[in-house]
Amino acid sequence: MYSDKVMDHFQNPRNVGEIENASGVGTVGNAKCGDIMRIYLDIDENQVIQDCKFKTFGCGAAVATSSMATEMVKGKTIQEAMQVTNKAVMEALDGLPPVKVHCSLLAEEAIHAALWDYAQTHNITIEGLEKPKNDISEGEEEEEY
Ligand code: FES
């Protein structure tokens, strides 16, 4: 059911933890499954993401996608990090079963929420970034789980 990469990132998640005095912190949840994700970003003066960590109270697919997403945004500029969509993360993991696709949205939204937090405190606008939702299941079509 899961690819080797998903299993690897689930069993050995990268970048788990917190960043003290992070440049941006984002927390999102999905009220439907009750899972929560928090992402910490350390962004330098050139707007390059030096470090990224995550903490989750979430399912295995949420852990694996967050692990991969944090690996993918590290070393990138803010604008490049905006291209790290849940689709890109899923591709990097060789796919997820269809019922688990929504889990990958937690990581994308939490990164956006952390970027939003950074943008707010630094008074900048990040192109293409919209105010993140706290609950990603909001406004979603009813789905079968
Ligand atoms: Fe909730 Fe996967 S079931 S994030």
Side-chain angles (χ1 to χ4, degrees), residues 26-38 57 102 105-106 109-110 113 133-138 140:
T27 308
V28 296
N30 182 330
K32 279 193 193 153
C33 62
D35 291 350
I36 298 166
M37 176 73 54
R38 178 168 294 160
F57 187 85
H102 74 278
L105 278 171
L106 268 184
E109 279 298 304
K133 301 176 193 162
N134 294 326
D135 172 9
I136 60 162
S137 73
E138 246 173 58
E140 225 181 39

PDB file of all heavy atoms in Angstrom, residues 26-38 57 102 105-106 109-110 113 133-138 140:
ATOM      1  N   GLY A  26       4.129  27.732  12.039  1.00  0.00           N
ATOM      2  CA  GLY A  26       2.766  27.562  11.521  1.00  0.00           C
ATOM      3  C   GLY A  26       2.149  26.296  12.074  1.00  0.00           C
ATOM      4  O   GLY A  26       2.799  25.255  12.114  1.00  0.00           O
ATOM      5  N   THR A  27       0.908  26.404  12.495  1.00  0.00           N
ATOM      6  CA  THR A  27       0.192  25.231  13.008  1.00  0.00           C
ATOM      7  C   THR A  27      -1.127  25.095  12.263  1.00  0.00           C
ATOM      8  O   THR A  27      -1.863  26.078  12.147  1.00  0.00           O
ATOM      9  CB  THR A  27      -0.112  25.389  14.512  1.00  0.00           C
ATOM     10  OG1 THR A  27       1.096  25.719  15.178  1.00  0.00           O
ATOM     11  CG2 THR A  27      -0.688  24.105  15.101  1.00  0.00           C
ATOM     12  N   VAL A  28      -1.389  23.927  11.763  1.00  0.00           N
ATOM     13  CA  VAL A  28      -2.689  23.680  11.132  1.00  0.00           C
ATOM     14  C   VAL A  28      -3.199  22.319  11.589  1.00  0.00           C
ATOM     15  O   VAL A  28      -2.435  21.452  11.992  1.00  0.00           O
ATOM     16  CB  VAL A  28      -2.637  23.697   9.585  1.00  0.00           C
ATOM     17  CG1 VAL A  28      -2.244  25.048   9.044  1.00  0.00           C
ATOM     18  CG2 VAL A  28      -1.744  22.617   9.044  1.00  0.00           C
ATOM     19  N   GLY A  29      -4.495  22.178  11.501  1.00  0.00           N
ATOM     20  CA  GLY A  29      -5.093  20.898  11.873  1.00  0.00           C
ATOM     21  C   GLY A  29      -6.128  20.503  10.843  1.00  0.00           C
ATOM     22  O   GLY A  29      -6.476  21.271   9.950  1.00  0.00           O
ATOM     23  N   ASN A  30      -6.580  19.291  10.984  1.00  0.00           N
ATOM     24  CA  ASN A  30      -7.688  18.827  10.163  1.00  0.00           C
ATOM     25  C   ASN A  30      -8.735  18.297  11.140  1.00  0.00           C
ATOM     26  O   ASN A  30      -8.537  17.255  11.760  1.00  0.00           O
ATOM     27  CB  ASN A  30      -7.199  17.720   9.214  1.00  0.00           C
ATOM     28  CG  ASN A  30      -8.310  17.232   8.299  1.00  0.00           C
ATOM     29  OD1 ASN A  30      -9.484  17.259   8.664  1.00  0.00           O
ATOM     30  ND2 ASN A  30      -7.940  16.785   7.129  1.00  0.00           N
ATOM     31  N   ALA A  31      -9.791  19.063  11.302  1.00  0.00           N
ATOM     32  CA  ALA A  31     -10.788  18.727  12.326  1.00  0.00           C
ATOM     33  C   ALA A  31     -11.447  17.381  12.055  1.00  0.00           C
ATOM     34  O   ALA A  31     -11.918  16.733  12.984  1.00  0.00           O
ATOM     35  CB  ALA A  31     -11.829  19.826  12.409  1.00  0.00           C
ATOM     36  N   LYS A  32     -11.440  16.977  10.798  1.00  0.00           N
ATOM     37  CA  LYS A  32     -12.127  15.713  10.476  1.00  0.00           C
ATOM     38  C   LYS A  32     -11.394  14.507  11.053  1.00  0.00           C
ATOM     39  O   LYS A  32     -12.012  13.600  11.586  1.00  0.00           O
ATOM     40  CB  LYS A  32     -12.251  15.549   8.962  1.00  0.00           C
ATOM     41  CG  LYS A  32     -13.419  16.334   8.422  1.00  0.00           C
ATOM     42  CD  LYS A  32     -13.710  15.916   7.003  1.00  0.00           C
ATOM     43  CE  LYS A  32     -14.641  16.910   6.356  1.00  0.00           C
ATOM     44  NZ  LYS A  32     -14.445  16.931   4.907  1.00  0.00           N
ATOM     45  N   CYS A  33     -10.070  14.476  10.910  1.00  0.00           N
ATOM     46  CA  CYS A  33      -9.342  13.316  11.449  1.00  0.00           C
ATOM     47  C   CYS A  33      -8.697  13.659  12.788  1.00  0.00           C
ATOM     48  O   CYS A  33      -8.203  12.770  13.472  1.00  0.00           O
ATOM     49  CB  CYS A  33      -8.282  12.837  10.462  1.00  0.00           C
ATOM     50  SG  CYS A  33      -7.015  14.045  10.107  1.00  0.00           S
ATOM     51  N   GLY A  34      -8.668  14.956  13.140  1.00  0.00           N
ATOM     52  CA  GLY A  34      -8.123  15.363  14.436  1.00  0.00           C
ATOM     53  C   GLY A  34      -6.617  15.506  14.450  1.00  0.00           C
ATOM     54  O   GLY A  34      -6.016  15.687  15.503  1.00  0.00           O
ATOM     55  N   ASP A  35      -5.980  15.443  13.275  1.00  0.00           N
ATOM     56  CA  ASP A  35      -4.524  15.523  13.237  1.00  0.00           C
ATOM     57  C   ASP A  35      -4.044  16.977  13.205  1.00  0.00           C
ATOM     58  O   ASP A  35      -4.706  17.852  12.648  1.00  0.00           O
ATOM     59  CB  ASP A  35      -3.984  14.754  12.031  1.00  0.00           C
ATOM     60  CG  ASP A  35      -4.193  13.253  12.197  1.00  0.00           C
ATOM     61  OD1 ASP A  35      -4.571  12.838  13.301  1.00  0.00           O
ATOM     62  OD2 ASP A  35      -3.972  12.514  11.233  1.00  0.00           O
ATOM     63  N   ILE A  36      -2.875  17.185  13.804  1.00  0.00           N
ATOM     64  CA  ILE A  36      -2.329  18.540  13.920  1.00  0.00           C
ATOM     65  C   ILE A  36      -0.867  18.527  13.497  1.00  0.00           C
ATOM     66  O   ILE A  36      -0.139  17.577  13.785  1.00  0.00           O
ATOM     67  CB  ILE A  36      -2.401  19.042  15.388  1.00  0.00           C
ATOM     68  CG1 ILE A  36      -3.854  19.101  15.852  1.00  0.00           C
ATOM     69  CG2 ILE A  36      -1.751  20.410  15.542  1.00  0.00           C
ATOM     70  CD1 ILE A  36      -3.986  19.262  17.341  1.00  0.00           C
ATOM     71  N   MET A  37      -0.451  19.585  12.811  1.00  0.00           N
ATOM     72  CA  MET A  37       0.933  19.693  12.338  1.00  0.00           C
ATOM     73  C   MET A  37       1.478  21.068  12.696  1.00  0.00           C
ATOM     74  O   MET A  37       0.782  22.072  12.536  1.00  0.00           O
ATOM     75  CB  MET A  37       0.900  19.550  10.804  1.00  0.00           C
ATOM     76  CG  MET A  37       2.212  19.722  10.128  1.00  0.00           C
ATOM     77  SD  MET A  37       3.265  18.326  10.405  1.00  0.00           S
ATOM     78  CE  MET A  37       2.198  17.009   9.844  1.00  0.00           C
ATOM     79  N   ARG A  38       2.720  21.097  13.183  1.00  0.00           N
ATOM     80  CA  ARG A  38       3.372  22.396  13.429  1.00  0.00           C
ATOM     81  C   ARG A  38       4.721  22.396  12.736  1.00  0.00           C
ATOM     82  O   ARG A  38       5.480  21.435  12.833  1.00  0.00           O
ATOM     83  CB  ARG A  38       3.555  22.623  14.928  1.00  0.00           C
ATOM     84  CG  ARG A  38       4.261  23.939  15.231  1.00  0.00           C
ATOM     85  CD  ARG A  38       4.182  24.305  16.677  1.00  0.00           C
ATOM     86  NE  ARG A  38       2.806  24.593  17.054  1.00  0.00           N
ATOM     87  CZ  ARG A  38       2.346  24.578  18.308  1.00  0.00           C
ATOM     88  NH1 ARG A  38       3.158  24.305  19.294  1.00  0.00           N
ATOM     89  NH2 ARG A  38       1.095  24.856  18.566  1.00  0.00           N
ATOM     90  N   PHE A  57       0.950  15.633  15.562  1.00  0.00           N
ATOM     91  CA  PHE A  57       0.089  14.689  16.215  1.00  0.00           C
ATOM     92  C   PHE A  57      -0.738  14.180  15.052  1.00  0.00           C
ATOM     93  O   PHE A  57      -1.808  14.690  14.764  1.00  0.00           O
ATOM     94  CB  PHE A  57      -0.771  15.433  17.241  1.00  0.00           C
ATOM     95  CG  PHE A  57      -1.577  14.529  18.095  1.00  0.00           C
ATOM     96  CD1 PHE A  57      -1.039  13.960  19.234  1.00  0.00           C
ATOM     97  CD2 PHE A  57      -2.894  14.234  17.764  1.00  0.00           C
ATOM     98  CE1 PHE A  57      -1.804  13.106  20.018  1.00  0.00           C
ATOM     99  CE2 PHE A  57      -3.648  13.390  18.550  1.00  0.00           C
ATOM    100  CZ  PHE A  57      -3.108  12.818  19.673  1.00  0.00           C
ATOM    101  N   HIS A 102      -5.131  13.678   1.422  1.00  0.00           N
ATOM    102  CA  HIS A 102      -5.428  14.867   2.249  1.00  0.00           C
ATOM    103  C   HIS A 102      -4.385  15.072   3.345  1.00  0.00           C
ATOM    104  O   HIS A 102      -4.164  16.191   3.776  1.00  0.00           O
ATOM    105  CB  HIS A 102      -6.832  14.778   2.856  1.00  0.00           C
ATOM    106  CG  HIS A 102      -6.928  13.808   3.980  1.00  0.00           C
ATOM    107  ND1 HIS A 102      -7.089  12.457   3.783  1.00  0.00           N
ATOM    108  CD2 HIS A 102      -6.834  13.989   5.327  1.00  0.00           C
ATOM    109  CE1 HIS A 102      -7.109  11.844   4.963  1.00  0.00           C
ATOM    110  NE2 HIS A 102      -6.962  12.745   5.908  1.00  0.00           N
ATOM    111  N   LEU A 105      -1.662  17.466   2.650  1.00  0.00           N
ATOM    112  CA  LEU A 105      -2.008  18.895   2.673  1.00  0.00           C
ATOM    113  C   LEU A 105      -1.625  19.551   3.993  1.00  0.00           C
ATOM    114  O   LEU A 105      -1.378  20.754   4.044  1.00  0.00           O
ATOM    115  CB  LEU A 105      -3.513  19.074   2.456  1.00  0.00           C
ATOM    116  CG  LEU A 105      -3.969  19.038   1.009  1.00  0.00           C
ATOM    117  CD1 LEU A 105      -5.491  19.007   0.962  1.00  0.00           C
ATOM    118  CD2 LEU A 105      -3.432  20.228   0.231  1.00  0.00           C
ATOM    119  N   LEU A 106      -1.575  18.748   5.055  1.00  0.00           N
ATOM    120  CA  LEU A 106      -1.203  19.317   6.358  1.00  0.00           C
ATOM    121  C   LEU A 106       0.180  19.948   6.292  1.00  0.00           C
ATOM    122  O   LEU A 106       0.385  21.054   6.783  1.00  0.00           O
ATOM    123  CB  LEU A 106      -1.189  18.222   7.432  1.00  0.00           C
ATOM    124  CG  LEU A 106      -2.445  17.948   8.239  1.00  0.00           C
ATOM    125  CD1 LEU A 106      -2.129  16.897   9.296  1.00  0.00           C
ATOM    126  CD2 LEU A 106      -3.003  19.190   8.908  1.00  0.00           C
ATOM    127  N   GLU A 109       0.168  23.156   4.079  1.00  0.00           N
ATOM    128  CA  GLU A 109      -0.504  24.269   4.753  1.00  0.00           C
ATOM    129  C   GLU A 109       0.296  24.767   5.949  1.00  0.00           C
ATOM    130  O   GLU A 109       0.319  25.974   6.223  1.00  0.00           O
ATOM    131  CB  GLU A 109      -1.909  23.843   5.205  1.00  0.00           C
ATOM    132  CG  GLU A 109      -2.945  23.903   4.097  1.00  0.00           C
ATOM    133  CD  GLU A 109      -3.142  25.322   3.554  1.00  0.00           C
ATOM    134  OE1 GLU A 109      -3.445  26.252   4.332  1.00  0.00           O
ATOM    135  OE2 GLU A 109      -2.962  25.489   2.336  1.00  0.00           O
ATOM    136  N   ALA A 110       0.942  23.847   6.657  1.00  0.00           N
ATOM    137  CA  ALA A 110       1.719  24.270   7.830  1.00  0.00           C
ATOM    138  C   ALA A 110       2.947  25.079   7.396  1.00  0.00           C
ATOM    139  O   ALA A 110       3.319  26.060   8.049  1.00  0.00           O
ATOM    140  CB  ALA A 110       2.131  23.064   8.666  1.00  0.00           C
ATOM    141  N   ALA A 113       1.618  28.395   6.562  1.00  0.00           N
ATOM    142  CA  ALA A 113       1.280  29.133   7.788  1.00  0.00           C
ATOM    143  C   ALA A 113       2.544  29.701   8.438  1.00  0.00           C
ATOM    144  O   ALA A 113       2.545  30.829   8.948  1.00  0.00           O
ATOM    145  CB  ALA A 113       0.539  28.213   8.760  1.00  0.00           C
ATOM    146  N   LYS A 133      -5.453  28.591   6.483  1.00  0.00           N
ATOM    147  CA  LYS A 133      -6.566  28.193   7.345  1.00  0.00           C
ATOM    148  C   LYS A 133      -5.996  27.459   8.554  1.00  0.00           C
ATOM    149  O   LYS A 133      -4.998  26.763   8.431  1.00  0.00           O
ATOM    150  CB  LYS A 133      -7.463  27.197   6.609  1.00  0.00           C
ATOM    151  CG  LYS A 133      -8.051  27.697   5.330  1.00  0.00           C
ATOM    152  CD  LYS A 133      -8.818  26.531   4.694  1.00  0.00           C
ATOM    153  CE  LYS A 133      -9.171  26.835   3.258  1.00  0.00           C
ATOM    154  NZ  LYS A 133      -9.510  25.626   2.516  1.00  0.00           N
ATOM    155  N   ASN A 134      -6.676  27.584   9.681  1.00  0.00           N
ATOM    156  CA  ASN A 134      -6.242  26.801  10.844  1.00  0.00           C
ATOM    157  C   ASN A 134      -6.696  25.366  10.716  1.00  0.00           C
ATOM    158  O   ASN A 134      -6.067  24.449  11.211  1.00  0.00           O
ATOM    159  CB  ASN A 134      -6.829  27.374  12.136  1.00  0.00           C
ATOM    160  CG  ASN A 134      -6.264  28.736  12.415  1.00  0.00           C
ATOM    161  OD1 ASN A 134      -5.111  28.998  12.102  1.00  0.00           O
ATOM    162  ND2 ASN A 134      -7.075  29.606  12.988  1.00  0.00           N
ATOM    163  N   ASP A 135      -7.824  25.214  10.028  1.00  0.00           N
ATOM    164  CA  ASP A 135      -8.364  23.867   9.866  1.00  0.00           C
ATOM    165  C   ASP A 135      -8.503  23.595   8.377  1.00  0.00           C
ATOM    166  O   ASP A 135      -9.317  24.214   7.701  1.00  0.00           O
ATOM    167  CB  ASP A 135      -9.727  23.785  10.559  1.00  0.00           C
ATOM    168  CG  ASP A 135     -10.435  22.469  10.274  1.00  0.00           C
ATOM    169  OD1 ASP A 135      -9.807  21.555   9.691  1.00  0.00           O
ATOM    170  OD2 ASP A 135     -11.616  22.363  10.628  1.00  0.00           O
ATOM    171  N   ILE A 136      -7.701  22.681   7.859  1.00  0.00           N
ATOM    172  CA  ILE A 136      -7.708  22.466   6.414  1.00  0.00           C
ATOM    173  C   ILE A 136      -8.941  21.716   5.930  1.00  0.00           C
ATOM    174  O   ILE A 136      -9.161  21.623   4.731  1.00  0.00           O
ATOM    175  CB  ILE A 136      -6.435  21.757   5.896  1.00  0.00           C
ATOM    176  CG1 ILE A 136      -6.270  20.376   6.535  1.00  0.00           C
ATOM    177  CG2 ILE A 136      -5.204  22.598   6.093  1.00  0.00           C
ATOM    178  CD1 ILE A 136      -5.318  19.507   5.748  1.00  0.00           C
ATOM    179  N   SER A 137      -9.732  21.184   6.844  1.00  0.00           N
ATOM    180  CA  SER A 137     -10.934  20.488   6.379  1.00  0.00           C
ATOM    181  C   SER A 137     -12.070  21.477   6.118  1.00  0.00           C
ATOM    182  O   SER A 137     -13.071  21.138   5.520  1.00  0.00           O
ATOM    183  CB  SER A 137     -11.386  19.426   7.383  1.00  0.00           C
ATOM    184  OG  SER A 137     -11.950  20.021   8.521  1.00  0.00           O
ATOM    185  N   GLU A 138     -11.864  22.733   6.553  1.00  0.00           N
ATOM    186  CA  GLU A 138     -12.861  23.784   6.332  1.00  0.00           C
ATOM    187  C   GLU A 138     -13.159  23.957   4.852  1.00  0.00           C
ATOM    188  O   GLU A 138     -12.241  24.086   4.043  1.00  0.00           O
ATOM    189  CB  GLU A 138     -12.257  25.126   6.781  1.00  0.00           C
ATOM    190  CG  GLU A 138     -12.920  25.743   7.959  1.00  0.00           C
ATOM    191  CD  GLU A 138     -12.105  26.953   8.385  1.00  0.00           C
ATOM    192  OE1 GLU A 138     -11.917  27.852   7.552  1.00  0.00           O
ATOM    193  OE2 GLU A 138     -11.656  26.953   9.542  1.00  0.00           O
ATOM    194  N   GLU A 140     -13.928  22.055   2.662  1.00  0.00           N
ATOM    195  CA  GLU A 140     -13.605  20.916   1.802  1.00  0.00           C
ATOM    196  C   GLU A 140     -14.899  20.188   1.450  1.00  0.00           C
ATOM    197  O   GLU A 140     -15.827  20.169   2.235  1.00  0.00           O
ATOM    198  CB  GLU A 140     -12.748  19.955   2.628  1.00  0.00           C
ATOM    199  CG  GLU A 140     -11.559  19.407   1.928  1.00  0.00           C
ATOM    200  CD  GLU A 140     -10.812  18.455   2.857  1.00  0.00           C
ATOM    201  OE1 GLU A 140     -11.459  17.698   3.588  1.00  0.00           O
ATOM    202  OE2 GLU A 140      -9.582  18.508   2.831  1.00  0.00           O
TER     203      GLU A 140
END
